[in-house]
Amino acid sequence: MEQGAADQGQTEKTPLSTGVKKEELALGGAKLVRVQKRSMLLITKDDDLFAVSNRCPHQENPFGEGALAVTKSGDPILICPLHGWIFSVSSGNSLDRPGVCLKKYPVSVVDGEVMVTI
């Protein structure tokens, strides 16, 4: 018989408010937010919503809202302003540094409010 997460000493993570309503986010844009002392970017693409760390994993340099770009196919990417490292927003993977990943957070919308799970 399988044990539940609580039986194994694990706790279920509760989504936390970003203080942002989904309708406030510009399509194809990024918004900088802080949740429990973590700086992150909320990024939209069509109906998709992503939450990623605002820090490049290379040297923890902040991306900022201006680091968002799109590929020729329209996929959102983040470009580190310090060294130019490029990350796919949807996968978190570096496009030019194999094995390097951007921290992503599960995101949801509850009653119109954007929530993230840390």
Side-chain angles (χ1 to χ4, degrees), residues 2-115:
E2 256 184 59
Q3 291 182 314
D7 296 336
Q8 297 175 1
Q10 299 172 358
T11 58
E12 187 173 321
K13 295 182 180 183
T14 303
L16 303 168
S17 172
T18 61
V20 176
K21 294 283 190 186
K22 186 174 183 196
E23 64 194 27
E24 297 172 25
L25 297 172
L27 287 178
K31 182 165 182 73
L32 183 62
V33 297
R34 288 190 72 76
V35 178
Q36 287 194 341
K37 299 182 181 180
R38 288 175 176 88
S39 179
M40 60 183 72
L41 292 167
L42 301 176
I43 299 169
T44 61
K45 180 193 182 287
D46 301 326
D47 290 331
D48 296 326
L49 181 59
F50 306 94
V52 298
S53 172
N54 184 41
R55 300 276 178 194
C56 177
H58 176 218
Q59 290 185 344
E60 297 297 311
N61 191 62
F63 288 108
E65 294 176 355
L68 183 64
V70 292
T71 63
K72 290 180 183 178
S73 62
D75 295 325
I77 55 173
L78 282 173
I79 303 170
C80 177
L82 188 61
H83 294 110
W85 288 26
I86 304 169
F87 297 88
S88 164
V89 170
S90 58
S91 71
N93 294 330
S94 173
L95 300 181
D96 54 356
R97 302 284 192 270
V100 178
C101 296
L102 180 63
K103 173 70 177 160
K104 291 181 56 182
Y105 299 95
V107 63
S108 60
V109 178
V110 177
D111 296 328
E113 188 166 352
V114 179
M115 311 288 281

